Amino acid sequence: MAEARQTEGRDTLTVAMIGSGGSGVMTAAEILIRAAARAGYYGLMTKSFGPQIRGGEAAAFVVLSTAPVEAPSDRVDLLFAIDWQNAGRFAGELPLDADSLVVSGQVDAELPSIVTDAAPRIAEVDLKSLTRSHKGTRPNMVALGVTAALAGLPRAAVATLIDERLAGKGEAAMQQGTAAIDLGYEEAAAMTGVDGLTAAGDDGERWIISGNQAAGFGALRGGVRFAAAYPITPATEILEWLAPRLQKAGGLLMQAEDELASINMIIGGSFGGAAVLTATSGPGLALMSESIGLAVAAEIPILVIDVMRGGPSTGIPTKSEQSDLNIAVHGLHGDAPHIVTAPMSIADCLFTAQWSTHLAESMQVPVIMLSDQSFGQALGVVEKPADVAFATRRLLAEEPAEDYLRYALTANGVSPMALPGTAGGQYTADGLEHSQSGLPSSMAADHNEQLEKRLHKVTAFDYGDHWARVEGGGDAAIVTWGSATGPVREALRRLDPGGERVRLIAIRLLSPAQPRQLAEALAGCERIMVVEQSQGAQFFGHLKAQFDLPAGADLFSRPGPQPFRPAEITAMLEEWLS
Amino acid sequence: MTVEAACPLTARDYKSDYKPVWCPGCGDFSVLLAITKALAEVGRPPEEVAVVSGIGCSSRVPAYTNCYGFHGVHGRALPLATGLKLTRPDLLVLAAGGDGDGYSIGGNHFMHACRRNVDLTYVVMDNQVYGMTKGQPSPTTSPEWDSALVPGGTGLRPFHPLVIALAAGANFVARSFSGDPNGTAELIVEAIRHPGFSLIEVLSPCVTFRPEEREWAKQVHPAPVEPTDDRGRAARRVLTDDGFNIGVLYRGRRRPYQPPFGQAQVEVAEFEAEFLP
């Protein structure tokens, strides 16, 4: 049996697999990244689909590496096309060049201009005759064999996965599956033009997880047991991941009739004592805004996860953009202090969701967590994330005194909350301004006291080191957030591998702003560059207005829908630093 | 769970000292009295009851009770109540509000709450007008009613909440009149005891903006028919009656929607295994 060639090798390999609907591209790519994970590599898989609900052309992009993968790659080393139907749609997403190897699964196919223009090396695999002459083998599994072999993955890692997947379908199916993989490895033996990966190090346990799964699991770890939501791309996977698991964990997910209902259902659930969440995207967040304000006024802890997509309006549901920052920070009417957080990697979706639940519960306040499509719908192979247990929970009035006041003024602004069922704690939660008892009041004194209380509790809270991640040193700094962080980190790894020239500051706590902490992180910096993905430079504006960003800071900002690639950031930084 | 009969609870135990904003003569005073009488009759202590509302004159009712209350945003009483009941099935959850709150801005939730059939009791004080904003037509206002916002009347056929409720799946439908607080209290007791989603449409005059509604006292009459569990028959009756039939109009047999909550079968840490490659 042909084994993978172990040539000189490379540390990172980017593979694209494309094909028309039903060709099995996604299955093949998922097995590829999983096999690589088992072999000890890190990885990142993103997907792109045509607009059809079913049956459209599909592309999977898989980056495999011996080191953590921070961003989509600049170029494609290996493209396997099971067929070429509508492949032109992926122009702009398939950066091929003369060093790329393109494997056509069809013989004598007419190659699209996105291939021919790049003049890559071309190889052919006759999937049709191969699968015809070997009964029961499937084209996508042969393609997987070729790709895995060229990537330098051990055949056994792939074959074991095939066995596991097909175990339920009987011995014959398993044999046909591994036969297809073997055919692929044999075909690849004759090909040249792409070096496989060097052997992976053995540095600990890996997880394979999407940003949306990570967010769901983080919230579950944080204690969330009730969710209500309305389906929306690209947040639905959080809900579909949570629904059966909440059931098992003693919780419940309710599909609501709309976002107005889902936000109010979770407010009702939280009023009753459950830790709660909803997940949505920009259009849903816009619908929820009024009631998030209710949770501010009535001091009800809730977590709202916004998996951002291109906007405005319906925008680009399947592509990423960092353009909901303004609505998340400023979208509530009145003076409505609340928390806005953002994860900075797929794995960090887990931590940030868990932390956000902790913040909501501790301060009895709504938290909006801004994830985005490029985390949510991407599959990452990451180091096993740590389970950080946060001790603080909701402050309850378990035995309310005679003179119990639900909104009593306290030193830190957080008042003990009586849950329904607690005798002597009865109060009415209200969106109307109220006195300390909760009864409606339009008196200036009550308004000012309660406004101050609600602001104080979120500004006085100790957020510790979690407000941001600060890496490296030097007299220049990049300030960024969310999904822009990975490409920036990769660019800095190339330009400043020792981390001595440029600091990276990725902000996790967007609101309330932490100007003093940012100033400390920037101490000694002469030059500052802000990197973000929005047309309107929303983050830059927010930093200037709320974080006291020093005058003279530079900006690199553009809208989605294409993700930042490290080369784009590297080129910009080279010029900026020179 | 309940207090034993040594010291029976009375309507007063469910009433707060907070003075209502309602106009003198408003029908909602009597509905508040009916609600507190009904709660005393049911006998759950006030801390085990939650009264949930949206916005409007009648939606002010939670703070006038001595129960846990939630006065939310306009139109969203039912989702609030649904989230509370699903996570706290031990509580008695009562939603209350008006025709604008429930049938206009909250119309979609009304339909879906009926369809979902969570064990809630929904008391709608229908006065066929927006009172808090001082006299605009609501979905139940007659087409010719003249107002500053819609001069000459809406020209629109009024919304028929009881038929919508029946079609959408409400499990108990009744109509009452605020002028009869004892009768209203009896209907609320029955609605609370009936499993699933119960709607009580209370004709509750707005004496300020619809003074002609005082005449309702003369027009209401007991429904001349027995309650039915046949949805079609109930719908036909309420579509063809004069709108003043008082009593239980429909008792359904649907099972309430209440998935289990709070009984964990696994530890959260067990989900970690699925992320191993």
Side-chain angles (χ1 to χ4, degrees):
Chain A
M1 198 53 50
E3 279 300 326
R5 297 159 307 114
Q6 289 290 347
T7 53
E8 282 296 295
R10 57 171 76 228
D11 296 332
T12 298
L13 177 78
T14 302
V15 176
M17 299 185 82
I18 64 172
S20 51
S23 62
V25 161
M26 290 305 160
T27 307
E30 282 182 29
I31 295 175
L32 179 74
I33 192 171
R34 199 168 282 272
R38 287 201 180 173
Y41 296 99
Y42 293 90
L44 176 70
M45 173 174 163
T46 55
K47 304 170 189 178
S48 185
F49 294 97
Q52 301 89 334
I53 304 299
R54 262 201 116 92
E57 55 283 359
F61 307 94
V62 182
V63 188
L64 303 176
S65 179
T66 53
V69 179
E70 303 284 355
S73 338
D74 300 319
R75 53 185 296 280
V76 169
D77 298 304
L78 171 61
L79 166 65
F80 197 115
I82 292 178
D83 62 63
W84 293 101
Q85 199 181 314
N86 291 327
R89 182 180 300 284
F90 301 113
E93 294 178 76
L94 276 174
L96 297 164
D97 57 36
D99 290 329
S100 306
L101 174 65
V102 171
V103 184
S104 172
Q106 291 171 325
V107 179
D108 296 332
E110 192 184 327
L111 302 181
S113 58
I114 54 164
V115 173
T116 50
D117 289 354
R121 282 166 286 192
I122 309 280
E124 286 181 340
V125 174
D126 191 349
L127 291 176
K128 204 173 186 178
S129 6
L130 279 172
T131 51
R132 212 175 263 165
S133 56
H134 295 79
K135 195 173 164 296
T137 58
R138 289 170 190 270
N140 68 325
M141 290 297 106
V142 179
L144 167 63
V146 172
T147 310
L150 292 172
L153 296 183
R155 183 195 154 281
V158 184
T160 313
L161 269 165
I162 299 288
D163 282 351
E164 288 172 17
R165 288 218 168 197
L166 297 176
K169 297 195 173 167
E171 195 65 31
M174 286 162 71
Q175 274 170 12
Q176 286 156 358
T178 37
I181 299 300
D182 291 342
L183 282 175
Y185 269 76
E186 282 162 24
E187 287 290 315
M191 290 180 196
T192 54
V194 62
D195 292 338
L197 290 158
T198 55
D202 179 19
D203 60 348
E205 206 176 341
R206 300 271 186 281
W207 273 17
I208 183 161
I209 193 166
S210 75
N212 278 346
Q213 290 172 335
F217 191 41
L220 208 51
R221 271 187 176 175
V224 167
R225 290 298 177 273
F226 180 61
Y230 190 74
I232 187 167
T233 306
T236 308
E237 295 89 352
I238 297 182
L239 310 169
E240 291 182 338
W241 187 86
L242 274 174
R245 290 162 186 85
L246 274 172
Q247 267 179 11
K248 286 184 190 159
L252 175 64
L253 182 140
M254 185 74 224
Q255 182 179 335
E257 55 269 30
D258 55 30
E259 285 90 347
L260 306 167
S262 48
I263 186 76
N264 279 282
M265 283 182 184
I266 66 167
I267 292 172
S270 182
F271 173 72
V276 300
L277 75 72
T278 187
T280 188
S281 190
L285 181 65
L287 283 172
M288 292 177 185
S289 298
E290 182 197 18
S291 297
I292 297 174
L294 170 64
V296 170
E299 303 198 41
I300 306 290
I302 55 169
L303 171 59
V304 178
I305 301 178
D306 172 11
V307 186
M308 292 184 288
R309 65 194 215 184
S313 189
T314 312
I316 309 181
T318 55
K319 297 270 158 81
S320 221
E321 200 165 72
Q322 297 183 297
S323 49
D324 289 351
L325 188 147
N326 278 351
I327 187 178
V329 174
H330 301 293
L332 310 184
H333 62 282
D335 288 314
H338 61 286
I339 313 287
V340 181
T341 60
M344 58 187 78
S345 69
I346 289 175
D348 195 47
C349 288
L350 197 160
F351 173 83
T352 300
Q354 190 176 350
W355 186 52
S356 298
T357 311
H358 164 71
L359 297 179
E361 289 287 315
S362 302
M363 287 180 268
Q364 302 177 17
V365 73
V367 177
I368 301 173
M369 169 173 139
L370 293 176
S371 178
D372 69 36
Q373 185 275 338
S374 65
F375 289 151
Q377 296 190 317
L379 196 59
V381 180
V382 300
E383 277 172 41
K384 180 187 173 178
D387 186 0
V388 186
F390 294 102
T392 322
R393 304 307 308 168
R394 198 184 300 189
L395 182 65
L396 297 178
E398 287 171 83
E399 287 175 16
E402 187 85 2
D403 56 351
Y404 171 69
L405 297 171
R406 165 65 184 99
Y407 301 104
L409 303 178
T410 61
N412 66 2
V414 179
S415 327
M417 181 174 182
L419 299 182
T422 311
Q426 293 101 299
Y427 75 103
T428 292
D430 208 320
L432 279 170
E433 188 56 283
H434 40 259
S435 63
Q436 295 185 55
S437 68
L439 289 174
S441 168
S442 52
M443 310 253 294
D446 288 325
H447 186 45
N448 292 337
E449 269 178 13
Q450 293 295 317
L451 280 175
E452 175 56 29
K453 165 197 200 303
R454 294 191 292 259
L455 178 63
H456 179 65
K457 69 178 179 179
V458 301
T459 50
F461 190 83
D462 179 9
Y463 297 93
D465 292 338
H466 302 312
W467 72 279
R469 225 176 126 163
V470 183
E471 298 166 6
D475 59 6
I478 315 247
V479 184
T480 189
W481 73 289
S483 60
T485 309
V488 168
R489 188 180 281 137
E490 175 60 27
L492 289 179
R493 190 187 283 167
R494 295 176 191 179
L495 291 171
D496 181 25
E500 288 154 5
R501 291 170 63 202
V502 187
R503 289 175 215 186
L504 170 62
I505 302 169
I507 295 184
R508 191 186 277 116
L509 180 64
L510 294 161
S511 189
Q514 305 292 308
R516 189 179 56 78
Q517 281 83 344
L518 182 64
E520 279 170 18
L522 286 172
C525 284
E526 285 160 18
R527 311 184 60 197
I528 300 162
M529 169 68 80
V530 174
V531 179
E532 64 170 307
Q533 194 186 36
S534 80
Q535 181 208 36
Q538 297 185 11
F539 182 59
F540 189 61
H542 181 55
L543 290 174
K544 284 204 289 190
Q546 304 293 328
F547 279 82
D548 299 338
L549 185 75
D554 293 307
L555 170 68
F556 182 74
S557 180
R558 67 154 172 84
Q562 294 300 341
F564 281 129
R565 292 185 194 266
E568 180 183 5
I569 309 283
T570 309
M572 176 276 291
L573 288 179
E574 267 174 346
E575 198 182 329
W576 182 64
L577 291 167
S578 65
Chain B
M1 189 152 62
T2 52
V3 175
E4 282 308 315
C7 179
L9 291 158
T10 66
R12 193 171 298 168
D13 294 311
Y14 295 87
K15 175 93 180 54
S16 79
D17 300 331
Y18 187 53
K19 188 173 172 293
V21 294
W22 300 323
C23 310
C26 176
D28 295 350
F29 282 104
S30 304
V31 182
L32 172 61
L33 176 62
I35 288 172
T36 54
K37 276 174 180 268
L39 290 173
E41 171 67 23
V42 171
R44 295 284 301 274
E47 67 269 17
E48 293 175 13
V49 179
V51 184
V52 178
S53 70
I55 295 294
C57 296
S58 52
S59 293
R60 299 296 287 253
V61 84
Y64 306 149
T65 75
N66 183 35
C67 307
Y68 279 90
F70 207 132
H71 182 214
V73 297
H74 198 19
R76 318 293 165 221
L78 290 173
L80 265 179
T82 300
L84 178 59
K85 182 69 183 178
L86 289 175
T87 54
R88 290 293 304 274
D90 58 310
L91 300 174
L92 192 173
V93 181
L94 192 116
D99 39 307
D101 187 68
Y103 304 148
S104 190
I105 189 169
N108 192 34
H109 309 310
F110 174 60
M111 248 169 21
H112 288 277
C114 293
R115 181 172 80 92
R116 201 170 276 125
N117 199 34
V118 172
D119 189 15
L120 299 170
T121 298
Y122 185 32
V123 178
V124 179
M125 290 158 250
D126 190 347
N127 57 10
Q128 302 178 3
V129 73
Y130 286 87
M132 189 151 266
T133 48
K134 316 230 186 303
Q136 296 79 31
S138 87
T140 51
T141 304
S142 54
E144 71 282 359
W145 189 69
D146 189 50
S147 65
L149 188 63
V150 190
T154 63
L156 301 175
R157 178 184 297 196
F159 183 84
H160 206 314
L162 303 187
V163 178
I164 303 284
L166 287 164
N171 213 28
F172 178 96
V173 174
R175 188 191 279 130
S176 80
F177 174 54
S178 63
D180 177 14
N182 289 333
T184 302
E186 280 171 31
L187 288 174
I188 295 174
V189 168
E190 193 176 338
I192 289 171
R193 290 182 174 154
H194 194 85
F197 185 83
S198 303
L199 170 69
I200 303 157
E201 155 95 354
V202 188
L203 300 172
S204 179
C206 174
V207 295
T208 301
F209 298 104
R210 305 294 308 267
E212 68 278 18
E213 290 175 352
R214 290 179 195 272
E215 296 301 308
W216 284 354
K218 296 175 197 151
Q219 292 169 287
V220 294
H221 53 83
V225 287
E226 286 297 301
T228 174
D229 62 358
D230 180 332
R231 218 155 51 121
R233 182 183 290 177
R236 205 158 43 246
R237 278 184 195 162
V238 295
L239 262 180
T240 54
D241 74 10
D242 60 359
F244 292 100
N245 268 351
I246 299 303
V248 180
L249 302 168
Y250 173 73
R251 280 195 199 101
R253 298 171 183 276
R254 291 178 67 205
R255 279 223 320 219
Y257 179 82
Q258 183 69 60
F261 188 82
Q263 293 121 43
Q265 302 150 35
V266 300
E267 294 288 326
V268 169
E270 290 180 36
F271 297 123
E272 289 182 13
E274 67 185 84
F275 300 122
L276 300 175

